[in-house]
């Protein structure tokens, strides 16, 4: 079981472009940053709180900038507190984020921030993709059949969107509170879960209507029997007849009960549980110690082509990518380059510094 930690706070203030890139990369992503306004006005101010599966921060640059980064592999929400910015995701048309309308970044697309205004002060929240999917499964009470699709905007002018943004901002205010509540691991963990639940209830996405629907009735005993057995022994050679015998009902009755109370047929549920076990084992295996085929067969998958297609639909990557990846979420590409001589990225520099240098930048961890 993962140890629950207290929140960790960091603060940065610098006029150095290199130090800005290092600070952003330390908590978010490698980016390219183009200072489009007067260079003498450029000054970066960032406050960050690490909440486990979420990183909450606020940032200003003091002048107009543009930035770009490859597929982040994380969900990301930008909430302008003042000013605004224009965003282009992949090949879509640019759209504007404002104080009333936050931008929800797609984890699998190139991101270009094409016009960050000089007065822009933005709340920026990075969310672990797998953690959000698991929280959605917990709210639905069943495995996801496919990854959620989020709309590019979230209304933060009223209702649940405003409440969520205010709660995220509160976490940053705690950095100046001596012995504050977020120094307690229990409170940090509960805030993390509340923010995950909150974004699922505030943002528009493909499961939103299901979440808003009345809670389904308790599952019948027949369904629970099958689910318990499958969870305990998912690699067993199940078919509809065997599952019906376990449930002590007819095949037709079990099919109808699963569709009504689980949202999928019983054999699909078996495969979803198996997929979870395959992914967990691939993520825990060192490259070279096993193969995708061996793990898939171990958990009861016979048709590897069907297995690979369903795995990619479910998790957004191939099984071999999961096995190879040191960090399981997302596929990184080199960010696009700007022609302007006043832009830079961490990869432009010949050597990486093991820590942020200079007196202009301060890392506060309490």
């Amino acid at each position: 079981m993962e140890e629950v930690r207290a929140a960790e706070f960091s603060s940065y203030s610098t006029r150095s472009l290199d130090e800005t890139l290092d600070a952003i990369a330390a908590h978010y992503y490698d980016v390219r940053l183009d200072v489009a306004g007067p260079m003498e006005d450029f000054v970066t101010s960032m406050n960050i709180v690490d909440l486990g599966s979420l990183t909450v921060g606020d940032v200003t640059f003091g002048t107009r900038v543009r930035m770009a980064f490859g597929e982040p592999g994380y969900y990301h929400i930008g909430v302008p507190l003042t000013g605004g910015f224009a965003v282009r995701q992949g090949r879509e048309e640019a759209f504007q984020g404002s104080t009333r309308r936050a931008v929800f970044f797609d984890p699998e697309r190139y991101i270009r921030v094409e016009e960050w205004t000089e007065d822009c002060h933005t709340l920026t929240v990075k969310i672990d993709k797998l953690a959000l999917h698991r929280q959605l499964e917990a709210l639905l009470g069943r495995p996801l059949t496919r990854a959620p699709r989020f709309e590019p905007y979230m209304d933060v002018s009223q209702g649940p969107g405003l409440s969520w943004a205010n709660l995220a901002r509160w976490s940053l205010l705690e950095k100046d509170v001596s012995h504050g509540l977020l120094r307690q691991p229990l409170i940090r963990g509960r805030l993390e879960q509340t923010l995950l639940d909150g974004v699922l209830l505030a943002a528009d996405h493909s499961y939103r209507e299901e979440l808003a629907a009345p809670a389904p009735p308790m599952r019948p005993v027949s369904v629970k029997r099958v689910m318990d057995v499958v969870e305990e022994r998912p690699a067993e050679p199940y078919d509809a007849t065997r599952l019906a015998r376990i449930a002590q009902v007819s095949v037709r009755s079990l099919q109808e009960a699963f569709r009504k109370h689980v949202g999928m047929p019983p054999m699909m549920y078996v495969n979803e549980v198996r997929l979870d076990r395959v992914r967990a084992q691939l993520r825990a295996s060192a490259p070279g110690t096993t193969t995708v085929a061996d793990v898939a067969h171990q958990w009861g998958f016979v048709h590897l082509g069907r297995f690979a297609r369903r795995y990619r639909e479910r998790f957004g990557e191939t099984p071999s990518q999961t096995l190879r990846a040191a960090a399981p979420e997302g596929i990184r590409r080199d960010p696009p380059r700007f022609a302007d001589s006043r832009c830079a990225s961490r990869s432009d520099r010949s050597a990486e510094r093991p820590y942020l240098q200079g007196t202009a930048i301060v890392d506060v961890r309490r």
Side-chain angles (χ1 to χ4, degrees):
M1 183 176 173
E2 185 179 353
E3 181 183 359
V4 179
R5 299 176 288 106
E8 296 182 4
F9 296 92
S10 304
S11 293
Y12 302 89
S13 180
T14 181
R15 291 184 175 274
S16 165
L17 185 58
D18 284 353
E19 290 177 343
T20 295
L21 293 167
D22 282 339
I24 295 173
H27 299 282
Y28 292 103
Y29 324 102
D30 284 336
V31 303
R32 291 194 63 82
L33 186 64
D34 173 16
V35 180
M39 193 65 192
E40 59 269 22
D41 293 337
F42 176 74
V43 56
T44 298
S45 175
M46 274 185 16
N47 297 296
I48 303 289
V49 56
D50 179 357
L51 298 175
S53 61
L54 300 96
T55 300
V56 180
D58 65 1
V59 60
T60 63
F61 295 111
T63 190
R64 290 181 295 110
V65 300
R66 298 194 301 267
M67 69 182 80
F69 47 98
E71 301 167 0
Y74 293 82
Y75 292 111
H76 194 111
I77 301 173
V79 186
L81 304 175
T82 60
F85 53 81
V87 177
R88 187 187 300 274
Q89 301 197 68
R91 297 183 178 180
E92 293 182 354
E93 293 294 322
F95 50 89
Q96 191 75 26
S98 69
T99 56
R100 299 178 62 84
R101 191 168 67 169
V103 176
F104 207 116
F105 295 163
D106 190 316
E108 307 301 337
R109 295 189 181 184
Y110 273 16
I111 307 296
R112 290 177 173 85
V113 179
E114 297 189 338
E115 183 60 35
W116 179 291
T117 63
E118 61 271 14
D119 61 340
C120 186
H121 176 203
T122 293
L123 176 70
T124 175
V125 184
K126 182 179 77 170
I127 305 173
D128 181 82
K129 185 167 68 172
L130 183 58
L132 191 64
H133 291 181
R134 285 175 174 166
Q135 201 66 22
L136 179 55
E137 288 181 331
L139 291 176
L140 294 172
R142 63 173 179 81
L144 298 180
T145 54
R146 62 184 66 245
R149 298 185 306 277
F150 285 87
E151 294 296 320
Y153 296 117
M154 187 169 80
D155 183 1
V156 291
S157 66
Q158 59 185 345
L162 177 60
S163 296
W164 183 87
N166 285 341
L167 186 60
R169 291 184 70 185
W170 173 82
S171 68
L172 288 167
L173 298 176
E174 282 289 286
K175 73 181 179 64
D176 295 322
V177 179
S178 178
H179 308 294
L181 287 176
L182 281 184
R183 315 290 177 179
Q184 300 294 327
L186 175 65
I187 300 301
R188 196 282 294 167
R190 289 183 177 176
L191 179 61
E192 175 188 13
Q193 182 173 335
T194 300
L195 286 171
L196 290 174
D197 287 340
V199 74
L200 291 168
L201 297 172
D204 288 327
H205 54 84
S206 51
Y207 290 91
R208 179 70 182 273
E209 288 187 6
E210 187 175 349
L211 285 180
M218 294 291 290
R219 289 170 178 153
V221 174
S222 58
V223 172
K224 187 176 186 304
R225 283 197 193 104
V226 171
M227 295 178 74
D228 288 346
V229 170
V230 170
E231 288 283 348
E232 185 179 350
R233 301 191 298 276
E236 292 283 319
Y238 298 110
D239 58 24
T241 302
R242 182 180 177 189
L243 293 176
R245 285 200 302 266
I246 293 170
Q248 301 175 22
V249 297
S250 69
V251 171
R252 181 179 176 183
S253 295
L254 184 63
Q255 295 276 3
E256 292 177 353
F258 257 80
R259 286 194 176 95
K260 180 178 180 181
H261 297 281
V262 185
M264 65 185 74
M267 282 306 300
M268 181 180 287
Y269 177 78
V270 171
N271 285 332
E272 295 301 306
V273 173
R274 288 172 174 172
L275 283 172
D276 285 333
R277 302 302 172 84
V278 169
R279 182 170 176 80
Q281 186 166 337
L282 291 176
R283 287 164 60 93
S285 300
T289 61
T290 189
T291 66
V292 169
D294 286 344
V295 176
H297 286 142
Q298 177 182 336
W299 291 106
F301 288 102
V302 177
H303 301 286
L304 292 181
R306 294 181 201 166
F307 155 75
R309 284 194 298 273
R310 181 69 193 104
Y311 188 99
R312 187 181 182 96
E313 290 173 358
R314 173 84 184 275
F315 300 114
E317 63 184 9
T318 65
S320 57
Q321 286 171 329
T322 303
L323 182 60
R324 288 196 305 266
E329 290 299 311
I331 304 167
R332 304 288 180 97
R333 298 181 188 170
D334 291 334
R337 295 177 178 272
F338 292 108
D340 195 297
S341 62
R342 291 181 298 167
C343 75
S345 73
R346 294 172 77 244
S347 59
D348 290 336
R349 303 193 291 281
S350 59
E352 293 291 340
R353 290 173 295 177
Y355 51 86
L356 303 179
Q357 301 175 350
T359 58
I361 193 162
V362 180
D363 186 0
V364 181
R365 298 186 184 277
R366 298 174 180 170

